[in-house]
Amino acid sequence: MVFQSLMLLARNKGPDEFWRKRKIFRIAAHFIGRRRNCYSIAIRNVHRALVYSSKGRALKKADMRALWETRLHAASEEHGISRYILHEGLMRSNILLNRKTLMDLAVWEPRTFKALSIIALARTKQDGLNSVQHLDMPDGIITRGMLK
Amino acid sequence: MSIIQRSQQWGTFARIWHLYDAKWQDPYLSAERIKMYLMGLYKPIYHPLNDCGDHVVVINSYDIALRGDEWRRRAYFHHTGYHGGASWTMAWEVHKKNPTMIMNKAVYKSMKGNLQRRYSMQRLHIFKDENVPENIMQNISNQIKQLRPVPLRLDEIPPQEVAEFPKLVKYPENYIAQ
């Protein structure tokens, strides 16, 4: 829109009232009772709903991360190591898999995950971490440190 | 779905029955471990909305061990709802009345208070001794490791073995041990 003077800009009320309100009612369409039919109530609830959805986007990521960690804890305990040993061992072996991928492997490819957990344990054992001192070195793992 | 995948599915989601021997174990620390099995937290397929919790059968709850003098110190609170209806019962007294109650409450308190908790508790079966009904015993397929080994008491060791144990000090005949 082109305004030829400030006066005209000030007089301009924006889009038509019907269309302005319709945008809000469209968002409030699934609310119940007067919250979807009366504009002054609908707008309040739409604002609140939009705030919730903004916060929810961050919460969803945190929730998923917590779920992955719970599942990884279960999966690595199954093979006798803690989740921290799994992460530490994989990082030291330069196997850069994130939580989601590791969790997917643990659920859908349990043997692959078992191999990864054995590698993590062998690497941490080889590096002499205190928390794995009581565990036995797994068989059949050849690392660069052994080759020399 | 092939028959292998079908049985794999069945094996993944079947309820497992676990046995836990509570003899000489701390009920509050054991509860943290039992909770993992009741809620299915030990499975990589865990999800709060998926029904993957298992059954746990706890035996020998009469022989649980509380730390220090907690039998005398720890109080269990109850309120009837009427005025002056509050009562505090010591742990030893609760245990005397019902040998499964301390274990039951410990597991109940270890879980978060949500709608699922009551249903998880229904999968917990506590027995004061080793007499478990046959229909429960035949379901069991796994044993949960105890938190710490049960120590052997001196009076349980055969007297011959005690007599043959090498002595470091030979006390004189007239020595009085305090």
Side-chain angles (χ1 to χ4, degrees):
Chain A
M1 238 186 275
V2 181
F3 298 110
Q4 289 176 329
S5 70
L6 264 181
M7 198 65 170
L8 287 175
L9 172 64
R11 283 177 62 189
N12 178 42
K13 287 172 71 180
D16 184 59
E17 186 190 12
F18 173 80
W19 298 105
R20 194 159 41 82
K21 290 187 174 177
R22 205 179 101 116
K23 275 199 293 188
I24 301 301
F25 284 130
R26 289 288 288 272
I27 300 171
H30 64 289
F31 294 174
I32 292 172
R34 288 202 298 162
R35 298 202 296 157
R36 65 182 296 228
N37 296 323
C38 300
Y39 181 76
S40 63
I41 299 173
I43 185 83
R44 265 183 262 153
N45 285 282
V46 163
H47 281 159
R48 175 183 285 190
L50 292 178
V51 168
Y52 280 146
S53 79
S54 306
K55 286 181 181 169
R57 283 197 293 276
L59 281 177
K60 186 180 177 186
K61 293 180 184 77
D63 285 351
M64 287 310 289
R65 191 187 159 117
L67 178 66
W68 296 333
E69 287 181 355
T70 314
R71 286 180 168 188
L72 279 180
H73 174 78
S76 46
E77 289 288 322
E78 210 174 347
H79 301 303
I81 56 172
S82 70
R83 186 162 59 78
Y84 306 101
I85 289 299
L86 179 77
H87 278 294
E88 188 67 31
L90 292 183
M91 288 295 269
R92 283 170 185 242
S93 314
N94 204 21
I95 301 174
L96 307 173
L97 297 175
N98 61 8
R99 288 177 177 78
K100 182 180 187 296
T101 318
L102 281 173
M103 186 280 289
D104 274 340
L105 288 174
V107 173
W108 298 102
E109 301 279 338
R111 282 166 201 272
T112 313
F113 183 80
K114 187 181 179 186
L116 286 174
S117 65
I118 290 173
I119 289 173
L121 174 59
R123 179 68 198 224
T124 45
K125 279 293 278 187
Q126 190 194 316
D127 290 1
L129 261 67
N130 277 336
S131 52
V132 289
Q133 267 180 353
H134 62 288
L135 299 171
D136 294 331
M137 184 76 175
D139 296 330
I141 298 285
I142 298 168
T143 59
R144 288 213 182 98
M146 290 176 185
L147 288 175
K148 277 180 188 171
Chain B
M1 194 186 261
S2 74
I3 196 155
I4 294 174
Q5 280 176 318
R6 192 190 284 270
S7 50
Q8 201 176 24
Q9 169 95 355
W10 181 86
T12 310
F13 287 97
R15 281 202 204 287
I16 304 169
W17 288 64
H18 305 271
L19 184 75
Y20 184 76
D21 188 357
K23 189 171 187 178
W24 284 65
Q25 306 298 312
D26 184 325
Y28 310 104
L29 298 179
S30 307
E32 291 299 320
R33 178 168 290 188
I34 291 170
K35 177 187 94 171
M36 303 287 279
Y37 291 84
L38 278 182
M39 294 169 69
L41 278 164
Y42 78 109
K43 298 179 182 180
I45 57 162
Y46 171 79
H47 190 274
L49 300 179
N50 103 13
D51 188 14
C52 60
D54 289 341
H55 287 265
V56 178
V57 179
V58 177
I59 58 170
N60 289 331
S61 79
Y62 182 76
D63 298 324
I64 51 173
L66 261 61
R67 284 190 244 174
D69 59 349
E70 279 207 36
W71 284 117
R72 284 189 286 118
R73 297 262 172 188
R74 190 179 278 262
Y76 281 86
F77 178 72
H78 176 71
H79 202 293
T80 60
Y82 291 101
H83 267 303
S87 67
W88 288 266
T89 316
M90 292 299 127
W92 65 270
E93 222 167 337
V94 172
H95 199 61
K96 206 171 159 188
K97 275 209 167 107
N98 183 355
T100 61
M101 194 181 261
I102 289 181
M103 197 71 222
N104 196 54
K105 279 180 178 287
V107 177
Y108 186 77
K109 278 184 86 175
S110 72
M111 287 191 282
K112 209 174 154 192
N114 54 18
L115 290 176
Q116 212 53 46
R117 176 158 70 164
R118 301 265 172 177
Y119 298 104
S120 299
M121 284 301 289
Q122 285 181 357
R123 279 182 249 115
L124 177 68
H125 316 274
I126 307 177
F127 297 95
K128 65 173 182 175
D129 47 22
E130 284 169 355
N131 299 330
V132 184
E134 191 52 40
N135 60 339
I136 290 182
M137 209 58 195
Q138 68 191 6
N139 294 326
I140 289 169
S141 57
N142 183 37
Q143 184 171 9
I144 302 172
K145 200 183 167 197
Q146 283 183 316
L147 291 175
R148 50 200 69 185
V150 179
L152 196 63
R153 286 209 312 269
L154 187 60
D155 59 324
E156 288 168 352
I157 304 172
Q160 195 193 346
E161 199 177 318
V162 176
E164 284 174 5
F165 197 80
K167 280 180 184 165
L168 293 176
V169 183
K170 195 183 181 198
Y171 292 112
E173 288 287 317
N174 54 357
Y175 184 82
I176 299 167
Q178 283 187 339

